[in-house]
Amino acid sequence: MNELHRITIDAEICGGRPCIRGLRIRVKDVLDLLAAGASREEALEDYPYLEPEDIVAVLQYAARQSDHRVLLVA
């Protein structure tokens, strides 16, 4: 299921950086935590306002950001 609707961008929150559900928890913060080796359960403990679906949304968002077009110039 697509959970990207949980990712919000608001110029008034965290300088317009992608956040989770309008909270002041940035996508990058959760990604950094997971990249450092934390489990999903540990991330949920560190950020009590997060829901399991938020972690899925963060990973979906990151996957979409890494899938960019490759332009070939002749």
Side-chain angles (χ1 to χ4, degrees):
M1 183 163 173
N2 188 339
E3 297 292 345
L4 286 173
H5 63 276
R6 292 174 168 271
I7 305 300
T8 57
I9 298 173
D10 183 336
E12 300 296 318
I13 300 173
C14 293
R17 291 177 183 85
C19 293
I20 300 166
R21 294 183 289 118
L23 302 171
R24 294 187 181 277
I25 303 172
R26 299 178 306 165
V27 167
K28 182 184 182 331
D29 298 331
V30 178
L31 285 173
D32 286 344
L33 189 61
L34 295 172
S39 68
R40 290 180 186 209
E41 292 76 19
E42 289 171 321
L44 293 171
E45 287 175 17
D46 286 351
Y47 293 97
Y49 296 113
L50 282 184
E51 299 171 355
E53 295 83 4
D54 296 328
I55 305 274
V56 172
V58 163
L59 295 172
Q60 288 176 344
Y61 184 84
R64 287 242 175 133
Q65 294 302 306
S66 68
D67 187 24
H68 59 83
R69 289 185 161 195
V70 175
L71 302 176
L72 300 176
V73 178

